[in-house]
Amino acid sequence: MKKALITGVTGQDGSYLTEILLQKGYEVHGIIRRSSSFNTGRLDHLYSDKEILNKKMFLHYGDLVDTSNLNRLLEKIEPDEIYNLAAQSHVKVSFELPDYTAQVDGLGTLRFLDAIREVGLKKVKFYQASTSELFGKVQEIPQSETTPFYPRSPYGVAKLYGYWIIVNYREAYGIFASNGILFNHESPRRGETFVTKKITRAAASIAVGKQKTVSLGNLDAKRDWGYAPEYCEGMWRILNYEKAEDFVLATGKTHTVREFTELTFRELGIEIDWKGSKENEKGHIKSVDWDIAKTLIDFDKKSASYKFNFINLKPGTVIVEIDPNYYRLTEVDLLIGNPAKAEKLLKWKTKTDFPELVKLMIRSDLDKVLTRGY
Ligand code: NAP
Ligand code: F7E
């Protein structure tokens, strides 16, 4: 039985990757941070399974800023594969916490690689969660493994260090270490302050009358959004490729935040009309499709404890506002990846398209808001 060690196991990707590796027959070890309230919500379904916890899945306290602990864990577990997913992963927050972000996202990667060297794990394979944020102010469209980097945030710069230290340790010490340069990937398990989840969660609350508006920043930023579980399968394929190499995982399509917002509300039967410009722009209800609304009410009628409040959603009502606090000091305007290398060498390809992604996220949030009030 192969052993995998995952940092960031409590995050969106960590939880999906754990499921995928358990299905493939791995023994999975995850590193969790000590926190004053539970941070294992995304793993609860595995945590509560007596056949899995402490039999196939083991959780250990640790932190990427604590070197001694990383050494001890590597000696104890002796993993075959390591997936380094832990990070201060929020781009906007990285402007507020640049030093901490560099410590975790940049130097944390070095600490891990050095622990591998010190412990002398010769055969271990190491996956680094690199990011399309490395491309930042893009030098080429679409972006591939050979596109020059130009990060635009402390997060991007910290991840740039992580990227290059992987390449350096691969070349200098022969460690099997690979970068997955992943474009944005989303899911119902996405953190609530990332724009997709923020929109779908707010739209579901607006539909049931629990929230009036959602405040957003730059509506015109373009992202290449895919479905997270497919990207986590790609991580495994990267580490199980015949040699350590770097790969872009992306859909090859790009959409604006505005489109994501429109499509989310359209799933609820609500058409948006945009009026005004810059920070004075607002999204108004243009129309409500009562046939769609009715279908949604039927969607989870049995367990619904909240009633849809479409009746309050009159044409002209403002549901989207701009809050300049969400603007970034330096923005990444356009990301679109070229996944040709992964498609060819790893036989990896995205299946879930943009409308399907929006649909599964809004459906999940609608379900949560109807059954638990969120
Ligand atoms: P996420 O949901 O924000 O999860 C981040 C994980 O890192 C959490 O488990 C968090 O633990 C852990 N963590 C944070 N600081 C840590 C520290 N000092 N020591 C140990 N663990 C720490 O992120 P994600 O979306 O799953 O992304 C996974 C990785 O891929 C990240 O490295 C991210 O930067 C990168 N990435 C993400 C995307 C994307 O679109 N999702 C795209 C490209 C790259 P807590 O639960 O305790 O906070
Ligand atoms: O922003 C704009 C914002 O925070 C996307 C991380 O997983 O993917 C993620 O980073 C866009 C930006 O993701 C709001 O300005 C507008 O242009 O959802 P996001 P991100 O910055 O692309 C990359 C690949 C990673 O590696 C990161 O770890 O949306 N935007 N209004 C907003 N963004 C947020 N968060 N909130 C808003 O209200």
Side-chain angles (χ1 to χ4, degrees):
M1 187 188 265
K2 275 193 182 176
K3 285 191 219 168
L5 174 61
I6 304 177
T7 74
V9 72
T10 55
Q12 170 188 260
D13 292 2
S15 66
Y16 285 121
L17 182 63
T18 301
E19 288 169 6
I20 290 168
L21 294 179
L22 286 172
Q23 269 165 17
K24 291 186 190 293
Y26 280 67
E27 179 177 300
V28 178
H29 294 258
I31 294 184
I32 57 168
R33 293 196 288 176
R34 191 268 158 188
S35 67
S36 56
S37 49
F38 292 115
N39 58 355
T40 50
R42 294 183 179 103
L43 296 171
D44 275 353
H45 57 298
L46 301 172
Y47 205 83
S48 57
D49 187 331
K50 291 199 178 71
E51 291 308 309
I52 292 181
L53 187 67
N54 295 331
K55 288 198 175 127
K56 296 175 184 161
M57 181 183 83
F58 301 81
L59 299 179
H60 312 264
Y61 281 114
D63 199 299
L64 283 200
V65 297
D66 186 335
T67 311
S68 61
N69 154 280
L70 294 180
N71 281 4
R72 263 199 312 279
L73 285 174
L74 287 184
E75 273 168 356
K76 188 168 126 192
I77 300 165
E78 293 189 10
D80 300 287
E81 295 172 12
I82 298 172
Y83 295 86
N84 184 31
L85 310 185
Q88 190 303 93
S89 67
H90 203 282
V91 173
K92 173 94 165 88
V93 171
S94 76
F95 288 95
E96 314 292 326
L97 299 174
D99 185 336
Y100 177 72
T101 305
Q103 285 295 335
V104 179
D105 302 11
L107 290 177
T109 313
L110 170 68
R111 288 187 192 102
F112 229 121
L113 290 170
D114 230 34
I116 290 174
R117 215 164 55 85
E118 292 236 324
V119 174
L121 295 179
K122 297 234 162 17
K123 293 207 173 126
V124 74
K125 296 179 174 185
F126 190 94
Y127 173 87
Q128 169 62 8
S130 284
T131 166
S132 51
E133 284 294 300
L134 296 173
F135 299 119
K137 190 169 179 180
V138 299
Q139 305 294 297
E140 189 179 34
I141 297 172
Q143 298 87 49
S144 74
E145 293 80 3
T146 55
T147 304
F149 298 135
Y150 192 143
R152 293 272 280 172
S153 63
Y155 169 80
V157 176
K159 285 281 187 178
L160 186 71
Y161 181 87
Y163 173 92
W164 280 116
I165 203 69
I166 287 287
V167 175
N168 182 247
Y169 269 55
R170 182 164 75 209
E171 293 174 354
Y173 302 108
I175 295 178
F176 191 113
S178 306
N179 284 292
I181 307 171
L182 271 51
F183 283 63
N184 298 53
H185 45 279
E186 318 293 312
S187 74
R189 295 188 199 168
R190 186 58 144 149
E192 279 142 20
T193 58
F194 297 99
V195 77
T196 54
K197 180 72 176 170
K198 181 174 167 183
I199 294 167
T200 56
R201 187 185 162 146
S205 294
I206 290 169
V208 301
K210 284 182 69 71
Q211 185 173 330
K212 286 198 158 54
T213 60
V214 57
S215 296
L216 298 172
N218 179 7
L219 294 175
D220 296 315
K222 290 184 164 172
R223 288 292 181 277
D224 179 330
W225 279 298
Y227 182 40
E230 295 167 6
Y231 288 61
C232 295
E233 164 69 24
M235 294 174 189
W236 177 80
R237 290 193 188 203
I238 289 173
L239 271 204
N240 284 276
Y241 183 58
E242 59 195 45
K243 53 185 198 290
E245 280 195 23
D246 308 322
F247 289 91
V248 159
L249 300 185
T251 70
K253 305 226 163 63
T254 193
H255 297 276
T256 59
V257 172
R258 187 186 299 278
E259 284 174 80
F260 193 99
T261 312
E262 288 170 354
L263 207 50
T264 299
F265 279 99
R266 195 166 294 143
E267 278 297 319
L268 298 168
I270 300 166
E271 282 298 321
I272 300 185
D273 200 11
W274 301 100
K275 288 184 186 154
S277 66
K278 298 190 176 153
E279 53 263 42
N280 295 319
E281 185 168 13
K282 292 194 192 316
H284 300 251
I285 295 176
K286 188 173 174 190
S287 60
V288 177
D289 184 325
W290 293 103
D291 287 339
I292 296 180
K294 221 166 130 282
T295 318
L296 291 170
I297 296 165
D298 291 341
F299 163 60
D300 205 356
K301 206 157 54 182
K302 280 173 269 139
S303 50
S305 40
Y306 287 86
K307 294 263 175 287
F308 269 90
N309 205 4
F310 275 94
I311 211 80
N312 285 349
L313 297 176
K314 296 192 180 70
T317 309
V318 173
I319 48 173
V320 185
E321 292 177 310
I322 302 300
D323 181 345
N325 285 317
Y326 294 114
Y327 290 160
R328 299 193 175 163
L329 292 168
T330 39
E331 175 65 288
V332 172
D333 296 317
L334 160 72
L335 289 175
I336 177 165
N338 174 358
K341 180 178 173 186
E343 287 179 4
K344 184 163 176 238
L345 300 182
L346 306 178
K347 310 280 175 253
W348 177 89
K349 200 170 171 33
T350 53
K351 297 185 192 86
T352 309
D353 66 12
F354 182 67
E356 281 171 300
L357 175 66
V358 173
K359 191 174 194 149
L360 67 88
M361 288 183 74
I362 182 62
R363 286 287 165 129
S364 161
D365 281 328
L366 204 49
D367 187 40
K368 283 191 188 129
V369 87
L370 284 169
T371 55
R372 312 189 209 146
Y374 200 86

